[in-house]
Amino acid sequence: MSRKILVSGAPGTVGTELVRLLSQKGVEVRALVHHIEKSGEVSLPGVEIVEGDLTDRASMSHALKGIDTFFLASSASDTQVAVQAAAIEAAKKAGTGRIVKLSAYGADKNSPVPFFEWHGETEATLGEAGIAYTLIQPFLYMQTLLMNIPTILGKGAIFNCGGGGHIPVVDARDAAAVAAAVLTSSGHDGAVYELTGPASLTWPEMAASISALLGRPVQYIPIPPEAMAGALTEAGMPAWLVRSLVALMQFHQKDPGTVTKTVEVLTGNAARPFAEFLNDYAPAFKAEQPA
């Protein structure tokens, strides 16, 4: 079992839940945040908060001092590869014994999906670093649907170019639970864990479930990749994110993924079904609903 764990990406959905779970377990954990004043959600018993940045050598040297295991996660961006490479190098210099990286299903440095390409490049860097490591590769998060709330409530629809393929979406909280299990136990060196939910769902099926939650029609409307790109660009998203999201939706048409039992095997609890996710996030889906 690790003596002390550093968690990066703590403000994110997975990182915040992970810190909470580790705190509940009574594990000595250090959370790396960009701004101390915004660390409220991870200011929990047994959690040491440190301010820093994955690319800043001085702050990483401080954050990694005395750390045995480093949970590596960062926001998706077109600088992600350089950011995580810097973090791996800092961990190597600090003598960190193990890195658990939050990656993605489909990670491959030759992937046409930028998200997956970047994760693949970082996985390759990690494999050459000479540090024990574990890769956690979640499928598409259920929480991704929260991005669709404006059109769900405003137009009663989900628009994307994902088509009608089946997708084994996984709750980000289950990814955090797997990370907590891996970080606090041994026997995971070199392992690659692909995470999915308990069932594969189509976009129309997910839309129907949201419709039942809201008590009014919500449709899934497939649109061409160019139309999706145009809508995202008009919404103000940067070009790299537009390109990545469109490629991600197209990827899922070709590779719908296979349901795994990894969440249950590693945590002892079955992966959360989509219905549970919707119930737990119901306030978010209803927040902007007109009276």
Side-chain angles (χ1 to χ4, degrees):
M1 184 177 291
S2 299
R3 296 187 299 275
K4 193 164 189 176
I5 298 167
L6 174 67
V7 175
S8 64
T13 303
V14 174
T16 298
E17 176 69 3
L18 173 57
V19 171
R20 187 186 70 80
L21 292 174
L22 293 175
S23 175
Q24 285 184 342
K25 288 174 176 280
V27 175
E28 195 174 7
V29 58
R30 182 179 293 162
L32 179 67
V33 301
H34 284 110
H35 305 288
I36 291 289
E37 64 272 16
K38 297 181 180 179
S39 62
E41 288 188 88
V42 293
S43 295
L44 300 168
V47 178
E48 176 190 359
I49 309 295
V50 294
E51 188 174 80
D53 187 280
L54 293 178
T55 61
D56 184 80
R57 293 182 181 180
S59 65
M60 286 304 294
S61 177
H62 171 67
L64 287 161
K65 187 175 181 179
I67 292 296
D68 178 70
T69 301
F70 175 28
F71 177 75
L72 176 59
S74 65
S75 300
S77 79
D78 54 354
T79 63
Q80 179 180 316
V81 174
V83 168
Q84 295 202 4
I88 292 169
E89 182 61 25
K92 185 175 181 178
K93 288 183 178 179
T96 302
R98 181 168 61 137
I99 293 177
V100 176
K101 172 176 162 52
L102 182 64
S103 186
Y105 175 92
D108 182 344
K109 60 184 181 180
N110 296 311
S111 174
V113 181
F115 291 141
F116 299 162
E117 176 190 357
W118 301 334
H119 281 300
E121 289 187 23
T122 302
E123 288 186 359
T125 298
L126 189 53
E128 297 169 356
I131 302 174
Y133 68 90
T134 306
L135 302 175
I136 297 176
Q137 298 182 334
F139 212 85
L140 184 71
Y141 292 133
M142 294 176 185
Q143 281 78 0
T144 303
L145 274 163
L146 299 175
M147 296 173 60
N148 296 278
I149 286 177
T151 60
I152 288 172
L153 299 179
K155 298 183 178 181
I158 296 171
F159 301 92
N160 66 41
C161 60
H166 286 76
I167 310 169
V169 288
V170 61
D171 196 303
R173 294 171 295 179
D174 286 332
V178 166
V182 170
L183 288 164
T184 57
S185 61
S186 58
H188 305 287
D189 290 357
V192 179
Y193 295 125
E194 294 183 347
L195 312 183
T196 74
S200 285
L201 303 171
T202 65
W203 286 104
E205 288 171 339
M206 287 186 275
S209 294
I210 296 172
S211 178
L213 173 71
L214 299 180
R216 60 190 181 88
V218 175
Q219 304 177 68
Y220 169 66
I221 301 178
I223 58 176
E226 309 78 45
M228 180 175 174
L232 296 178
T233 300
E234 187 176 340
M237 288 189 182
W240 67 263
L241 182 54
V242 171
R243 185 172 66 255
S244 298
L245 289 172
V246 170
L248 178 65
M249 291 299 104
Q250 292 178 298
F251 172 84
H252 288 150
Q253 292 188 62
K254 299 175 182 177
D255 186 349
T258 302
V259 172
T260 71
K261 293 286 188 180
T262 309
V263 171
E264 184 171 3
V265 169
L266 291 175
T267 70
N269 297 310
R272 288 176 174 86
F274 189 66
E276 182 176 340
F277 158 75
L278 284 183
N279 181 67
D280 292 346
Y281 282 82
F285 281 98
K286 296 177 179 180
E288 300 172 24
Q289 187 173 2

